[in-house]
Amino acid sequence: MIMNNVRIYDPSHPYDDQTYAVKINGKTFEKISEEPLEGGEVIDGKGKVLAPSFNDSHMHLLRYSLLKEELDLTEAKSWKEMKQMVEDHYDKIEKNDWIYGKGFNDGNFDDLDGLLTAEDLNEIHVDANMYFMHQDGHECVISQKALERLKEEEAFKQEPDEFKETDESGEWNGRFKDTAVHYIKHHFWGRSAADAKEALKTGIPYLSRYGITSVHTDDINFIGSYQRLWEAYTQLEQEGELPIDVHLHHYIFNIDDLKNYCLHNELRTGGGTERVRVGSVKIFLDGTQRLFTAAMRNPYPVQPDKDGILIYTQDQLNEMVRYASEQKMQVAMHAIGDRAVEQALTALEQPEAETERFRHRIIHAQTLAPDLIQRMREAAPYIETQPSFLLDEWDKKQNWSPESLVPYADAYESLLKEQIPITLSSDLPIGALDPFVTIFSAVNRTGLDGRPEGGWMPQEKISLEAAYTGFTKTPAELEYNEDHKGIIKGGYQADFVLLDQHPEEIKPEHLLELSVLETWHRGQRVYKR
């Protein structure tokens, strides 16, 4: 196939401002020509802009897809509305039934005196097992029936007590945080591969619409089994229903989970089928700043009695990272607070970690300091960022960090200046799906309304070129695939988008106006507006 008369935007492999012809042979670019080409199928690009498609290095695709299939509570504005949505979704609720819902935000409910607990869920049904996940995925509330089952789980007692809310008598009240949420999802929320496939078939077309052709996704806690997760994605591939490349992360609670995977599976990071590959070992080191559970080196300014929590000791984490590296598994660590980032770096600085070789990652790293940035430069991890979080969080940073460290929150430009590679990602469904919203946030550091004028901590704005590269070429490096993917060049995988405008010809504050006209994956068009 030949596409004539296109302009090309690729900051990782720049082209002159003129029209080109692109020849695709099967799944790869065969040739980029300054002159029109002939032969076989020829498409007139009509002067549109051809650019690399997007590789989202941090998301939860199955969770997003389930929101499209199952009970979505994101629109509930009150407890009354939420109850009605549950009753409308489930025709009949009987004793011992399981009731699931995702996306509620009871902090905005004005018909509750506090936040939802198991006792409140009795208003829906007294004897049903219920699980409702908060909008940001870091909190859940379960019913008293489900709570009774949870109390029988000996392994759950190992989860930090700080993640288990209690009532006035010291008993669990049905509300849980962070890794306690992950445990409940993993053990109580098992789905079949067939159920996951149906959900994914609903969710994946939304990715194509926004030009996303590759993802790194953490899904295991929404199906309960890595084997079933692998079956779901590979069966979609075999059936011709997978228009994306996928790296599947393996979330672990402890080193026994990691050893169990390595003992029973030959595949390691980067191994797999053509489109479905093993991703990283995912390890949660702390919580989230909204709940004051992200591990900080200083107390929270608005909660001086709290500084967050580290889930593992340094020795425990060191052992997990060493073992993963020995087994040729890449590690991706969730670390939001600076104390968690410090712990991650200490583990990655071990000679046995071979951080540069395996390209281990730190996810989020939202709170930094000069000493941590220097250590990152020397240890050479990749940093996965989610700039769209700034849309809603920029005016809250002073609540979470001392004034002297606020300038080092989401310090994208400081990282790039020190040659520390960063990727841009969505953390879907928490962050924005549209990559141009994320790019807008990284380049402008404002909300969608343009506030604050000039951008929040403007010294940390990054260039359009750096932002686009963080969504294309850099994620390919995490896949050990930078010589075959992520840029527009002969011999590379033919993953690209056609855009309605040239990104360099619009003002930074107008980046949100960019839109995808077509998405191509492995030489096949998978979306057309």
Side-chain angles (χ1 to χ4, degrees):
M1 189 277 289
I2 292 169
M3 186 177 292
N4 286 323
N5 191 24
V6 291
R7 302 166 70 195
I8 299 178
Y9 173 70
D10 185 352
S12 300
H13 189 72
Y15 286 83
D16 293 333
D17 185 16
Q18 64 180 72
T19 57
Y20 291 86
V22 175
K23 184 175 182 180
I24 297 171
N25 185 357
K27 301 166 186 175
T28 61
F29 295 112
E30 179 178 317
K31 182 179 182 181
I32 313 296
S33 170
E34 296 184 2
E35 301 296 331
L37 297 173
E38 297 180 351
E41 180 186 5
V42 179
I43 297 173
D44 182 3
K46 298 181 180 180
K48 300 301 182 185
V49 179
L50 186 151
S53 55
F54 299 107
N55 188 336
D56 192 324
S57 63
H58 182 71
M59 67 159 56
H60 308 273
L61 180 53
L62 180 55
R63 176 182 166 194
Y64 171 78
S65 299
L66 289 167
L67 280 171
K68 301 298 180 184
E69 281 280 296
E70 298 182 351
L71 177 55
D72 181 359
L73 299 170
T74 54
E75 298 301 319
K77 299 296 190 293
S78 67
W79 173 223
K80 180 180 179 180
E81 283 189 20
M82 179 172 161
K83 287 187 290 184
Q84 189 61 54
M85 292 171 73
V86 174
E87 292 168 3
D88 290 346
H89 186 82
Y90 291 93
D91 295 334
K92 187 177 182 181
I93 302 176
E94 297 183 349
K95 184 177 180 179
N96 296 324
D97 279 354
W98 269 103
I99 307 299
Y100 299 107
K102 300 169 291 296
F104 77 93
N105 185 358
D106 50 351
N108 294 333
F109 293 174
D110 57 10
D111 54 350
L112 283 173
D113 292 331
L115 299 177
L116 287 172
T117 65
E119 185 176 355
D120 295 308
L121 300 190
N122 288 338
E123 297 178 26
I124 298 176
H125 199 285
V126 175
D127 289 317
N129 295 290
M130 285 178 270
Y131 174 101
F132 298 116
M133 183 188 294
H134 191 275
Q135 194 171 44
D136 70 359
H138 283 271
E139 277 189 289
C140 75
V141 60
I142 66 176
S143 65
Q144 291 179 326
K145 189 76 173 179
L147 198 55
E148 291 171 8
R149 293 187 54 172
L150 189 60
K151 289 178 180 178
E152 298 173 359
E153 293 276 328
E154 286 296 320
F156 185 70
K157 296 176 182 177
Q158 299 176 20
E159 296 301 315
D161 288 339
E162 290 87 346
F163 296 163
K164 306 164 185 174
E165 292 196 13
T166 57
D167 57 24
E168 294 178 354
S169 62
E171 297 294 321
W172 295 345
N173 67 5
R175 198 171 181 98
F176 299 95
K177 303 173 184 177
D178 298 314
T179 58
V181 176
H182 303 158
Y183 181 97
I184 297 168
K185 286 185 298 186
H186 187 88
H187 290 82
F188 289 176
W189 203 343
R191 290 181 176 81
S192 68
D195 289 340
K197 284 170 57 181
E198 289 307 306
L200 289 166
K201 283 193 282 189
T202 299
I204 288 172
Y206 290 89
L207 275 60
S208 301
R209 182 182 303 175
Y210 289 105
I212 299 169
T213 55
S214 296
V215 302
H216 304 184
T217 183
D218 170 20
D219 291 339
I220 191 172
N221 288 329
F222 296 90
I223 192 170
S225 160
Y226 196 79
Q227 180 179 354
R228 286 200 300 275
L229 186 66
W230 188 265
E231 289 173 0
Y233 278 97
T234 54
Q235 286 175 17
L236 285 176
E237 178 184 17
Q238 293 163 8
E239 295 163 9
E241 298 278 356
L242 193 68
I244 55 174
D245 291 350
V246 182
H247 277 66
L248 296 177
H249 292 335
H250 194 300
Y251 181 106
I252 63 171
F253 289 93
N254 51 53
I255 194 167
D256 291 337
D257 288 343
L258 176 56
K259 290 181 175 179
N260 184 62
Y261 171 81
C262 293
L263 179 64
H264 294 99
N265 296 274
E266 295 181 356
L267 292 176
R268 298 296 185 258
T269 299
T273 66
E274 183 177 67
R275 301 189 182 198
V276 183
R277 306 288 179 92
V278 175
S280 299
V281 174
K282 174 79 176 287
I283 309 174
F284 251 71
L285 304 191
D286 66 349
T288 182
Q289 290 173 317
R290 181 182 69 83
L291 299 172
F292 307 111
T293 52
M296 308 293 285
R297 297 196 288 191
N298 297 278
Y300 285 91
V302 295
Q303 288 279 344
D305 61 330
K306 296 182 183 297
D307 60 4
I309 181 172
L310 288 174
I311 295 166
Y312 304 102
T313 67
Q314 189 68 59
D315 287 345
Q316 288 172 327
L317 181 61
N318 288 352
E319 184 183 12
M320 286 189 281
V321 171
R322 285 198 307 268
Y323 185 82
S325 300
E326 290 168 4
Q327 293 294 320
K328 297 181 173 56
M329 291 293 288
Q330 187 182 77
V331 174
M333 290 176 280
H334 165 112
I336 289 181
D338 52 3
R339 186 155 52 105
V341 172
E342 184 175 50
Q343 186 186 50
L345 286 170
T346 299
L348 295 177
E349 288 164 346
Q350 300 176 98
E352 302 93 332
E354 297 189 79
T355 297
E356 193 165 356
R357 174 189 174 189
F358 291 113
R359 304 178 185 181
H360 297 314
R361 332 178 184 193
I362 299 177
I363 305 168
H364 305 306
Q366 289 182 269
T367 310
L368 297 175
D371 65 306
L372 297 177
I373 293 173
Q374 181 59 37
R375 288 175 67 182
M376 283 179 173
R377 178 179 182 177
E378 295 170 0
Y382 281 67
I383 310 300
E384 292 183 6
T385 72
Q386 297 76 38
S388 69
F389 288 1
L390 282 171
L391 298 174
D392 299 317
E393 291 185 350
W394 67 265
D395 58 349
K396 302 176 182 65
K397 296 293 184 178
Q398 71 279 0
N399 297 336
W400 304 329
S401 297
E403 185 177 355
S404 62
L405 293 180
V406 170
Y408 296 97
D410 301 290
Y412 310 139
E413 180 63 13
S414 291
L415 294 172
L416 290 174
K417 281 182 178 178
E418 296 298 329
Q419 307 301 310
I420 300 163
I422 70 171
T423 67
L424 273 63
S425 58
S426 65
D427 203 357
L428 191 73
I430 302 169
L433 171 59
D434 184 352
F436 286 118
V437 173
T438 297
I439 291 172
F440 168 91
S441 303
V443 171
N444 292 287
R445 293 181 72 92
T446 69
L448 298 180
D449 59 1
R451 294 187 309 112
E453 185 176 355
W456 182 78
M457 297 297 163
Q459 74 276 7
E460 295 299 341
K461 293 179 181 180
I462 64 175
S463 68
L464 170 64
E465 293 77 14
Y468 208 97
T469 299
F471 240 132
T472 51
K473 179 178 179 293
T474 310
E477 295 172 6
L478 284 173
E479 302 173 0
Y480 315 134
N481 209 16
E482 67 271 23
D483 293 332
H484 306 282
K485 186 176 176 180
I487 64 177
I488 308 300
K489 184 180 179 182
Y492 277 65
Q493 190 165 306
D495 296 344
F496 63 93
V497 291
L498 291 183
L499 304 175
D500 62 344
Q501 300 178 73
H502 196 294
E504 292 181 336
E505 293 176 357
I506 58 178
K507 295 180 179 180
E509 59 268 28
H510 294 157
L511 285 169
L512 292 172
E513 297 174 6
L514 283 166
S515 62
V516 172
L517 301 176
E518 296 184 17
T519 302
W520 291 67
H521 173 245
R522 293 178 175 266
Q524 297 293 317
R525 184 166 57 200
V526 296
Y527 167 77
K528 182 176 182 179
R529 192 170 74 179

